[in-house]
Amino acid sequence: MEDSLFPRDITAAQNIANSPPPLDPDPNLLEVRDWFKMQPKLEARFGQVLRQSIDEVLDGQRTGRFNIKDLEKTEKTYLGTKVEIIARTEFNLGRGNRMDFSISGHDVDSKFTSGDNWTIPREADGHICLLIKANDLKASYQVGILRIHDTLLNLGANRDGKRTPSAAGRSAIQWIIPEGRLPENILLTLSETDRDAIFKAGTSGQARTNELFRRVQVRLVNRNTVLTVARQDDSLKRVRDARHHLRNEGIMILGHQKQHPHIARALGLRVPEKGSWIAIRVACVDSLDSARKSTRISGQDYAVWEEGDSSVPAPAEY
Amino acid sequence: MEDSLFPRDITAAQNIANSPPPLDPDPNLLEVRDWFKMQPKLEARFGQVLRQSIDEVLDGQRTGRFNIKDLEKTEKTYLGTKVEIIARTEFNLGRGNRMDFSISGHDVDSKFTSGDNWTIPREADGHICLLIKANDLKASYQVGILRIHDTLLNLGANRDGKRTPSAAGRSAIQWIIPEGRLPENILLTLSETDRDAIFKAGTSGQARTNELFRRVQVRLVNRNTVLTVARQDDSLKRVRDARHHLRNEGIMILGHQKQHPHIARALGLRVPEKGSWIAIRVACVDSLDSARKSTRISGQDYAVWEEGDSSVPAPAEY
C-alpha cells in the first residue's frame, strides 16, 4: 500500500506539470499588464469608462433609472459590450485576431461583471481575459488579467456552457487596478427618504430638480444625475431655473462658470468642473470677526449656513 | 360515409370557435390601433424613434459603424430594448401590468426586428404585440399590432422556445404604419468607392469629414453621420474646419445658421435644420442672363456648379 501510493503521487504531480502552470510567470500576460500600467491617469480613466458605460445603459434621462439592479437581462448583457466599446475608444485599442482587443500584440478578451464573478465562455480557454468588475453601490471597481485555464474555473457551467473563475482562478488574477474609485453615483447614496422626496410621483422635472438641490448639498452633482432626475434634455436650463426657485431658501448652486469656482474655493468646497454643480445653503457673516470661511458677493459676506444662523435669501446675482 | 362527414365538420368548426377567432374584430386591439393613429405626426415621430435607436446602438462616434449587420448579437438583442425605451419616452407610454406598455388601458408588448420576421416568446400568447420592423437599407419601417395566438405562429421554435408569426399571422396584423419612411442613413447609401475614399485608413477625423462633404453633395448630412465619419465628439468644429479646407475646391457647406437657410432656398436646395448640413459646389453666374437659380454673396452671384462651369473658390464668408 505504501509503495503503491508513491507512483500515484508522482502521476498526479506530472498531470499538473502537463497543464500550463497558471502561477508561473507568463511573459505575455505580464506584457499586457505592463502596457496598462504605463497608461497615464489609468485609474481615473478606467473609472470614467465604467461610469459612462453604466450611465449610458441606465439611460436615466429617458428611464429615470440609476440602479444597475433595475436593468433588464438584455441590458445587463449589453453593459459588458458597452464597457468594451468605451474602453477601446478611451485606450485606443485595436481588435485582436480572435478576441476583443489586441494589446502589446496579444489577443485579449474583455469580460465585465457588475456581480461577484465573471462568466467565461469555452472559447476563452487558453486566452488572456481582461477581467473588469464594478460595484456602483460601493463606488469601486477592479481590473485584472488572467489566462483562462480549465484548472482555474469552477466545475459547474450555466446553460450556455459558461463557467466562473474558481478561488484558485481568482487568486491567480494579475491585478492592474486592484481597487479603483468609480465616480460616485450620487442617487444611489441617498437615503430612502431623500430619494422618495426627489422622485415624488406627479411632480415636474423642474420640481424634482429643485428637490435634488434642496437635499443634496456640499456634494458635487453631475449632469447625468440632473438628467436622470429631470427626465428632460436641457440640464443647464433646469439648474439655472432651480437657482431662481431656491434663492429664497438661501440656496446657491455653483457651477464652473463666472465667479463660481472662486466662490467654491473661498467657502472651502470642491470646485465644480464643466457639467457638475455644488449646492449650498448660505448665511450672512461678518468676515472681520468670523473664523468661518466666507466670500463677498455684492458687498455682503456669505458663509455656508450652520445651525443657529439666520435664514437669508441667496444673492440675486453671482 | 356522407353522413359521418357532417358531424366531423361541425366538430372542426366548433374547435375553431373555441379558440379566439383571430380575424374577427378585437375591440381591444382596435383601441390600441386607434390610440396610435390619433397621435400627431405619428409617422415622423416613429421614424425618429427608430433612427435614434439604431444610431445609439451603432455608436458610430466611437465605433465608426453605420450598418446594423456589423452589430454583435448582444447589441442586436439590445436594439429591441432601446426601441422600447425611446418609444416609451416619445409617446409617453406607461408600463403594462405584465407587458412593456399600457396603451388605452391594454397591456401591449413591444417586439422589434431588423430582419424579416419577429420572434415571439411563449409568454406573449394571448397578448397584444406591437410589431415593429425596420429596414435601414431601404429607409423604411412598419408598425402593426397583433394579438398573439398559437394558430398565428409557425410551428418551429428556436432554442429559447420563441416562434415567428406565420403567413396567416402576418396577414392578421392590423397595420398602424404600413409603410413608414425611416430617416435616411446616408453612409449606407454610398457607393463602395465613395465609402472607401471617406473611410480610408490612416486619415484623420478632419480628413475623413472633408472627404464626406466632397463626395456627398446636394443631400442633407446629419450630425450622427459627421460623428461616425470623424470619430470625434465635436461635429460642429469638424464641419466649420471642413468649410475652410474645401473652399478652394468651390465647395460650400450650409447649416441652419446665419444666411444659410436663405442661400439654400435660393439655390433650390433642401433647407438644413439644426444638426444637419448640405454641401454644394458652386459656380459664378450672371444672374441677369441665367435661367439658373442663384444667390448673391458679397456682390457675386453663385449657382450650383454644372458640367462646363469654371472652377471658382467658394465665398470666403457666408
Side-chain angles (χ1 to χ4, degrees):
Chain A
M1 283 293 281
E2 294 285 274
D3 277 2
S4 72
L5 269 175
F6 197 55
R8 288 236 303 277
D9 274 355
I10 287 203
T11 311
Q14 280 176 334
N15 274 342
I16 289 166
N18 284 342
S19 61
L23 293 172
D24 274 11
D26 176 333
N28 297 352
L29 201 71
L30 299 184
E31 277 179 45
V32 172
R33 183 197 64 182
D34 293 345
W35 184 90
F36 273 109
K37 292 213 163 182
M38 273 168 45
Q39 300 307 305
K41 298 187 184 166
L42 177 67
E43 191 204 319
R45 288 163 75 198
F46 230 119
Q48 201 47 55
V49 164
L50 294 169
R51 178 76 275 143
Q52 185 69 25
S53 301
I54 295 168
D55 288 346
E56 287 191 21
V57 180
L58 284 167
D59 201 351
Q61 180 183 339
R62 295 195 184 103
T63 67
R65 297 177 302 185
F66 50 86
N67 194 330
I68 289 180
K69 80 168 174 44
D70 295 328
L71 294 179
E72 290 178 24
K73 192 162 168 290
T74 58
E75 294 177 299
K76 280 191 184 148
T77 308
Y78 175 74
L79 179 52
T81 309
K82 189 98 271 187
V83 168
E84 180 198 325
I85 289 173
I86 301 187
R88 177 178 288 118
T89 305
E90 178 60 38
F91 297 107
N92 200 18
L93 301 171
R95 284 188 175 275
N97 285 326
R98 290 161 58 198
M99 298 283 128
D100 297 326
F101 303 138
S102 174
I103 298 173
S104 277
H106 307 298
D107 264 28
V108 176
D109 222 24
S110 175
K111 291 289 161 234
F112 171 81
T113 182
S114 58
D116 289 329
N117 211 341
W118 299 267
T119 52
I120 309 292
R122 209 175 293 275
E123 310 88 81
D125 191 49
H127 288 280
I128 300 172
C129 278
L130 185 71
L131 300 176
I132 309 165
K133 178 152 87 168
N135 187 323
D136 208 9
L137 215 54
K138 295 187 181 160
S140 74
Y141 74 93
Q142 289 80 42
V143 180
I145 44 175
L146 179 68
R147 189 183 289 280
I148 302 303
H149 186 266
D150 188 61
T151 58
L152 300 175
L153 300 177
N154 287 312
L155 287 176
N158 72 8
R159 65 171 191 168
D160 296 332
K162 292 183 179 174
R163 295 162 64 193
T164 53
S166 61
R170 292 197 299 277
S171 72
I173 295 171
Q174 290 272 353
W175 292 106
I176 293 168
I177 304 173
E179 191 63 35
R181 202 186 69 80
L182 183 64
E184 191 179 46
N185 180 342
I186 216 162
L187 294 170
L188 271 186
T189 69
L190 298 182
S191 69
E192 202 69 16
T193 316
D194 284 343
R195 216 139 60 189
D196 288 351
I198 293 168
F199 285 100
K200 201 155 47 193
T203 58
S204 69
Q206 186 60 54
R208 291 193 297 272
T209 308
N210 297 348
E211 197 62 29
L212 171 70
F213 286 111
R214 223 175 246 130
R215 289 178 178 263
V216 180
Q217 297 192 1
V218 200
R219 294 173 70 183
L220 289 174
V221 170
N222 67 21
R223 183 174 166 277
N224 187 64
T225 299
V226 175
L227 293 174
T228 302
V229 166
R231 304 273 293 270
Q232 290 170 15
D233 60 4
D234 194 344
S235 57
L236 293 175
K237 176 145 175 55
R238 294 288 81 71
V239 174
R240 267 199 313 270
D241 288 357
R243 258 182 214 125
H244 294 293
H245 289 118
L246 299 175
R247 194 197 151 210
N248 282 333
E249 301 171 36
I251 296 169
M252 293 177 71
I253 307 175
L254 304 173
H256 77 293
Q257 287 177 310
K258 298 197 279 189
Q259 288 300 304
H260 295 192
H262 168 77
I263 298 172
R265 261 187 298 269
L267 295 177
L269 305 168
R270 289 182 67 184
V271 178
E273 294 184 353
K274 191 175 176 188
S276 70
W277 298 274
I278 194 163
I280 34 154
R281 183 177 169 190
V282 290
C284 289
V285 289
D286 182 344
S287 66
L288 295 177
D289 70 0
S290 172
R292 291 161 70 180
K293 293 195 171 184
S294 68
T295 186
R296 174 158 293 202
I297 302 167
S298 308
Q300 171 63 56
D301 292 309
Y302 293 92
V304 176
W305 189 90
E306 290 175 2
E307 203 60 47
D309 286 339
S310 301
S311 292
V312 294
E317 288 291 331
Y318 54 92
Chain B
M1 281 295 279
E2 293 285 276
D3 277 2
S4 72
L5 268 177
F6 197 54
R8 287 234 304 276
D9 274 355
I10 286 201
T11 309
Q14 279 174 335
N15 275 342
I16 289 167
N18 283 343
S19 61
L23 293 172
D24 274 10
D26 177 334
N28 297 351
L29 201 72
L30 300 184
E31 277 179 45
V32 172
R33 184 197 63 184
D34 293 345
W35 184 90
F36 273 108
K37 292 213 162 180
M38 273 168 45
Q39 300 307 304
K41 298 186 185 169
L42 178 67
E43 191 203 319
R45 288 164 74 198
F46 230 120
Q48 201 48 55
V49 164
L50 294 169
R51 178 76 274 142
Q52 185 69 23
S53 302
I54 294 168
D55 288 347
E56 286 192 21
V57 180
L58 285 167
D59 200 352
Q61 180 183 339
R62 295 195 185 104
T63 67
R65 297 177 302 186
F66 51 85
N67 194 332
I68 288 180
K69 79 169 174 47
D70 294 328
L71 293 179
E72 290 178 24
K73 192 162 169 290
T74 58
E75 294 178 298
K76 280 190 185 149
T77 308
Y78 175 75
L79 179 52
T81 309
K82 189 99 269 188
V83 167
E84 180 197 326
I85 289 173
I86 301 187
R88 178 178 289 118
T89 304
E90 178 60 38
F91 297 106
N92 200 17
L93 300 171
R95 283 187 175 276
N97 285 325
R98 291 161 58 198
M99 299 282 127
D100 298 327
F101 303 137
S102 174
I103 299 173
S104 278
H106 307 297
D107 263 30
V108 177
D109 222 25
S110 174
K111 291 289 161 233
F112 172 80
T113 183
S114 59
D116 289 330
N117 210 342
W118 300 267
T119 53
I120 308 292
R122 210 175 292 277
E123 312 88 80
D125 191 49
H127 289 279
I128 300 173
C129 278
L130 185 70
L131 300 175
I132 309 165
K133 177 152 87 170
N135 186 324
D136 208 11
L137 215 54
K138 294 186 181 162
S140 74
Y141 75 93
Q142 289 80 41
V143 179
I145 44 175
L146 179 68
R147 189 183 288 279
I148 301 303
H149 186 267
D150 188 62
T151 57
L152 300 176
L153 300 177
N154 287 313
L155 287 176
N158 72 8
R159 65 172 189 166
D160 296 332
K162 292 182 179 175
R163 294 162 64 194
T164 52
S166 62
R170 292 196 299 276
S171 73
I173 295 171
Q174 289 273 353
W175 292 105
I176 293 169
I177 305 173
E179 191 61 36
R181 202 186 68 81
L182 183 64
E184 191 179 46
N185 180 341
I186 216 163
L187 294 170
L188 271 185
T189 69
L190 299 181
S191 70
E192 202 70 17
T193 316
D194 284 343
R195 215 138 62 190
D196 288 351
I198 293 168
F199 285 100
K200 200 156 47 194
T203 59
S204 69
Q206 186 61 55
R208 292 193 298 272
T209 308
N210 297 347
E211 196 63 30
L212 171 70
F213 286 111
R214 223 175 245 130
R215 289 179 179 262
V216 180
Q217 296 192 1
V218 202
R219 293 173 70 182
L220 287 174
V221 170
N222 68 20
R223 181 174 168 278
N224 186 65
T225 298
V226 175
L227 292 174
T228 302
V229 166
R231 303 274 292 272
Q232 291 170 14
D233 59 4
D234 194 345
S235 58
L236 293 174
K237 176 145 176 55
R238 293 288 81 70
V239 174
R240 267 200 312 271
D241 288 357
R243 260 184 212 123
H244 293 293
H245 288 117
L246 299 175
R247 192 195 153 210
N248 282 333
E249 300 171 37
I251 295 170
M252 293 176 73
I253 306 175
L254 304 173
H256 78 293
Q257 287 176 310
K258 298 198 276 188
Q259 288 300 304
H260 295 191
H262 166 77
I263 297 172
R265 261 186 298 269
L267 296 177
L269 305 168
R270 289 181 67 184
V271 178
E273 294 183 355
K274 191 175 177 188
S276 70
W277 297 275
I278 194 162
I280 33 153
R281 182 177 171 190
V282 291
C284 289
V285 289
D286 182 343
S287 66
L288 294 178
D289 71 0
S290 171
R292 290 161 69 178
K293 293 194 170 186
S294 69
T295 185
R296 173 157 294 202
I297 302 168
S298 307
Q300 171 64 56
D301 291 308
Y302 292 92
V304 176
W305 188 89
E306 289 176 2
E307 203 61 51
D309 285 339
S310 301
S311 293
V312 293
E317 289 291 332
Y318 54 93

